[in-house]
């Protein structure tokens, strides 16, 4: 790849070298599916952050990226290897994309592309990368053969992510994070209707006519269902086995059996029953209400939910604090007795989700909450910024509208952008005005898909 002077090309490849006249030569020694071929060109530089990892970013971001990820990635990779077998891709580098990148991350082998939203400045979002690292085994090494079975990539990756997270951060914190995921699944199913055809694990994508007939945009298949319902199905398989170390051993065998192949759910489930003949004999694939076929082909809420009760010890204090803030007369003594300085991201996220559910709060409460917790109301952490902006909008706190605008100007990630436009459009006159004003200022910097989704929310004409 020849690029102009002053530019650098990077690629999802096992080796690369720069030759004269700014030509970069890449080699990929492993077979990969075509969707994982990725190339980026720009004014980018790199810094090492581990024995087999470096960060790539524009020069203005490289220091922040190095500081955030130094020494972090190797720990996650080592735990992944312990659980799922060797990391076969050689390097694990990260490229920080421009703020308009619409997704959290894209797991291109050797070089994951991520949103700059991960640079919170205090390492409070570094664990987001565990998901992309988990794809190194599930998705990149064993791949879904069709996009109709996207859950094979994402459900197994969510399970793997939470296994690594449990080893690194403990079960309570992982259960709390999984509870946040379950709440997003609930929200998604409430928005679309549980029996929507996309709320199945096996989605009918071929032929194209089916999509035209259903009026479904293939982009919409990218939603919480393959991730969180897929996670529930993999957790159900682990529950059938009943022994974590045996299920971990199965996952290693599964990766080993199908590595560098694209497979279907039938291959996966067939191998599961072959690996556990005693479960096959018991007929676990056809237990009434939990049939494998029902999991795959029936839309709706997962028939089995993994036990997240270990997260209660972190949820309970957050629940109780949210109740205190929602009260008519604030009990400041009780509020001040709760020390949130040690709370990590998902405990704060959980707290804000509870506050949001109880909103609008009594007059003046949100202003006091904002003053009391600058750690939340002035956070640079994007997950907290999203929730704080939602709380501001739900309580129509016009004094902090500028935070909503600033956040939407700073990034274009779909997961953050769309909920805020929905909240503004469903809010007061001034919130609607804020939506139109912010969109007209930021539209050119948004990815075209995100632009179109926002236009739909705001009732504007969408270009075909």
């Amino acid at each position: 790849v020849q690029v102009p002077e002053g530019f650098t090309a990077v690629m999802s490849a096992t080796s690369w070298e720069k030759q004269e006249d700014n030509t970069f030569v890449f080699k990929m020694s492993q077979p990969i599916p075509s969707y994982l071929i990725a190339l980026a060109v720009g004014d980018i530089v790199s810094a090492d952050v581990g024995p087999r990892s470096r960060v790539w970013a524009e020069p203005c971001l490289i220091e922040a990226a190095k500081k955030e990820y130094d020494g972090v990635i190797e720990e996650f990779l080592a735990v992944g290897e312990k659980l799922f077998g060797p990391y076969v891709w050689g390097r694990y580098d990260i490229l920080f994309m421009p703020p308009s990148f619409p997704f959290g991350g894209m797991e291109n082998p050797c070089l994951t592309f991520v949103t700059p939203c991960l640079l919170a400045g205090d390492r409070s979002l570094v664990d987001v990368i565990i998901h992309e690292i988990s794809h190194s085994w599930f998705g990149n090494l064993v791949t879904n053969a069709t996009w109709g079975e996207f859950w094979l990539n994402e459900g197994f990756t969510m399970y793997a992510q939470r296994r690594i997270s449990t080893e690194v951060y403990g079960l309570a914190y992982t259960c709390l994070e999984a509870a946040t995921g379950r709440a997003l699944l609930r929200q998604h199913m409430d928005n679309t209707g549980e029996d929507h055809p996309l709320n199945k694990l096996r989605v009918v994508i071929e032929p194209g006519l089916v999509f035209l007939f259903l009026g479904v945009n293939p982009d919409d298949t990218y939603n919480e269902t393959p991730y969180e319902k897929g996670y529930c199905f993999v957790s159900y398989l682990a529950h059938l086995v009943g022994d974590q170390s045996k299920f971990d051993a199965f996952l290693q065998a599964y990766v080993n059996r199908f590595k560098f192949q694209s497979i279907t759910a039938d291959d996966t489930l067939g191998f599961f029953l072959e690996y556990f003949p005693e479960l096959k004999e018991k007929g676990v694939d056809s237990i009434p209400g939990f049939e494998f076929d029902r999991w795959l082909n029936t839309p709706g809420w997962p028939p089995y939910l993994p036990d997240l009760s270990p997260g209660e010890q972190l949820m309970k204090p957050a629940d109780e604090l949210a109740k205190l803030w929602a009260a008519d007369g604030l009990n400041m003594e009780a509020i001040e007795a709760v020390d949130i300085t040690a709370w990590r991201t998902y405990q704060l996220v959980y707290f804000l989700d509870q506050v949001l559910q109880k909103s609008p709060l009594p007059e003046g409460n949100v202003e006091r909450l904002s003053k009391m917790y600058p750690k939340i109301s002035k956070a640079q952490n994007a997950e907290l910024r999203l929730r704080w902006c939602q709380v501001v909008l739900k309580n129509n706190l016009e004094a902090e509208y500028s935070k909503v605008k600033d956040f939407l100007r700073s990034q274009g990630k779909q997961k953050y952008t769309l909920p805020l436009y929905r909240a503004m459009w469903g809010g007061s006159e001034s919130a609607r005005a804020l939506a139109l004003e912010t969109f007209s200022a930021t539209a050119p910097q948004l990815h075209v898909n995100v632009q179109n989704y926002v236009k739909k929310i705001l009732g504007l004409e969408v270009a075909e």
Side-chain angles (χ1 to χ4, degrees):
V1 181
Q2 188 180 22
V3 300
E5 208 45 58
F7 285 86
T8 298
V10 290
M11 200 168 179
S12 54
T14 36
S15 72
W16 64 283
E17 56 171 314
K18 184 180 175 183
Q19 297 181 344
E20 54 209 44
D21 62 5
N22 229 31
T23 299
F24 294 81
V25 177
F26 299 97
K27 284 190 181 132
M28 184 56 176
S29 49
Q30 318 277 22
I32 58 170
S34 55
Y35 76 91
L36 290 175
I37 297 171
L39 170 71
V41 176
D43 175 13
I44 47 177
V45 290
S46 69
D48 285 331
V49 292
R52 45 185 162 172
S53 302
R54 62 172 76 94
V55 286
W56 290 90
E58 291 168 87
C60 61
L61 275 190
I62 196 69
E63 269 315 301
K66 181 174 167 48
K67 206 170 126 203
E68 202 88 358
Y69 279 92
D70 211 3
V72 170
I73 293 170
E74 187 55 34
E75 181 188 6
F76 297 152
L77 281 175
V79 176
E81 288 191 301
K82 189 179 92 178
L83 290 169
F84 313 120
Y87 176 77
V88 303
W89 307 100
R91 296 202 61 81
Y92 188 90
D93 294 354
I94 300 180
L95 170 67
F96 285 89
M97 298 292 279
S100 60
F101 185 58
F103 305 114
M106 180 57 211
E107 64 272 11
N108 311 308
C110 312
L111 183 68
T112 286
F113 287 18
V114 294
T115 171
C117 291
L118 294 190
L119 300 174
D122 59 2
R123 296 195 162 190
S124 57
L125 283 177
V126 292
D127 56 340
V128 173
I129 205 72
I130 298 177
H131 181 86
E132 309 310 330
I133 285 173
S134 301
H135 272 303
S136 306
W137 292 272
F138 304 97
N140 296 8
L141 200 47
V142 180
T143 309
N144 50 223
T146 75
W147 292 115
E149 298 194 320
F150 185 42
W151 77 273
L152 280 178
N153 278 15
E154 295 302 346
F156 274 89
T157 293
M158 290 305 287
Y159 187 85
Q161 167 199 320
R162 287 169 181 156
R163 280 296 292 120
I164 294 176
S165 169
T166 299
E167 296 283 311
V168 178
Y169 299 115
L171 187 57
Y173 187 70
T174 303
C175 286
L176 176 66
E177 183 273 324
T180 308
R182 186 179 296 177
L184 289 172
L185 178 66
R186 182 70 271 167
Q187 216 177 325
H188 160 72
M189 289 210 176
D190 289 346
N191 287 342
T192 55
E194 278 197 21
D195 50 3
H196 191 287
L198 291 185
N199 291 333
K200 296 190 293 197
L201 290 181
R202 187 183 271 151
V203 176
V204 181
I205 294 188
E206 307 300 342
L209 285 175
V210 175
F211 266 96
L212 293 173
F213 173 65
L214 291 171
V216 172
N217 176 344
D219 272 330
D220 296 341
T221 59
Y222 176 77
N223 60 48
E224 306 303 331
T225 297
Y227 290 78
E228 294 295 346
K229 188 175 180 178
Y231 165 71
C232 289
F233 189 22
V234 180
S235 301
Y236 176 63
L237 298 178
H239 161 77
L240 289 174
V241 174
D243 176 320
Q244 187 65 63
S245 57
K246 279 187 183 163
F247 193 70
D248 288 347
F250 159 73
L251 290 176
Q252 281 210 29
Y254 168 70
V255 167
N256 204 33
R257 166 75 176 76
F258 294 112
K259 62 185 176 204
F260 303 118
Q261 294 177 53
S262 295
I263 64 169
T264 65
D266 293 340
D267 297 322
T268 301
L269 297 170
F271 181 71
F272 175 78
L273 294 171
E274 186 187 306
Y275 188 87
F276 295 110
E278 67 285 8
L279 293 181
K280 184 178 185 172
E281 217 168 287
K282 269 194 198 160
V284 293
D285 54 338
S286 50
I287 297 168
F290 301 94
E291 300 90 345
F292 289 1
D293 185 76
R294 175 183 168 170
W295 273 102
L296 295 175
N297 298 310
T298 308
W301 195 242
Y304 168 87
L305 295 171
D307 172 23
L308 302 181
S309 60
E312 295 286 339
Q313 55 175 284
L314 299 174
M315 291 181 214
K316 206 162 171 253
D319 270 326
E320 283 165 4
L321 187 60
K323 278 192 194 112
L324 289 171
W325 279 106
D328 269 330
L330 288 178
N331 179 348
M332 290 315 289
E333 201 182 327
I335 285 172
E336 281 160 11
V338 183
D339 178 13
I340 68 163
T341 49
W343 289 14
R344 295 193 44 244
T345 298
Y346 282 101
Q347 196 170 9
L348 292 166
V349 159
Y350 184 80
F351 165 66
L352 287 173
D353 282 344
Q354 302 314 303
V355 169
L356 188 62
Q357 278 177 21
K358 296 171 176 24
S359 292
L361 303 187
E363 192 72 29
N365 287 18
V366 178
E367 287 89 334
R368 289 192 74 176
L369 193 151
S370 175
K371 282 197 186 77
M372 173 112 180
Y373 305 134
K375 174 180 179 172
I376 289 173
S377 59
K378 294 194 164 92
Q380 284 311 298
N381 176 315
E383 292 290 330
L384 297 180
R385 285 178 85 179
L386 166 68
R387 266 77 180 191
W388 184 245
C389 289
Q390 288 174 309
V391 168
V392 162
L393 291 166
K394 192 82 185 275
N395 289 277
N396 204 23
L397 189 61
E398 293 193 28
E400 299 211 9
Y401 272 7
S402 60
K403 287 186 178 163
V404 180
K405 202 160 151 186
D406 290 347
F407 185 43
L408 288 169
R409 283 190 156 168
S410 72
Q411 54 76 41
K413 189 178 164 187
Q414 190 167 301
K415 180 184 161 190
Y416 301 146
T417 304
L418 303 185
L420 290 180
Y421 275 103
R422 283 192 199 103
M424 287 188 280
W425 205 242
S428 63
E429 275 308 304
S430 54
R432 285 185 150 214
L434 178 71
L436 292 169
E437 179 199 332
T438 308
F439 184 60
S440 70
T442 58
Q445 72 193 41
L446 294 174
H447 187 282
V448 64
N449 286 5
V450 180
Q451 269 185 41
N452 285 335
Y453 279 125
V454 175
K455 282 179 181 170
K456 264 191 201 148
I457 292 166
L458 304 181
L460 303 170
E461 205 54 36
V462 175
E464 284 306 317

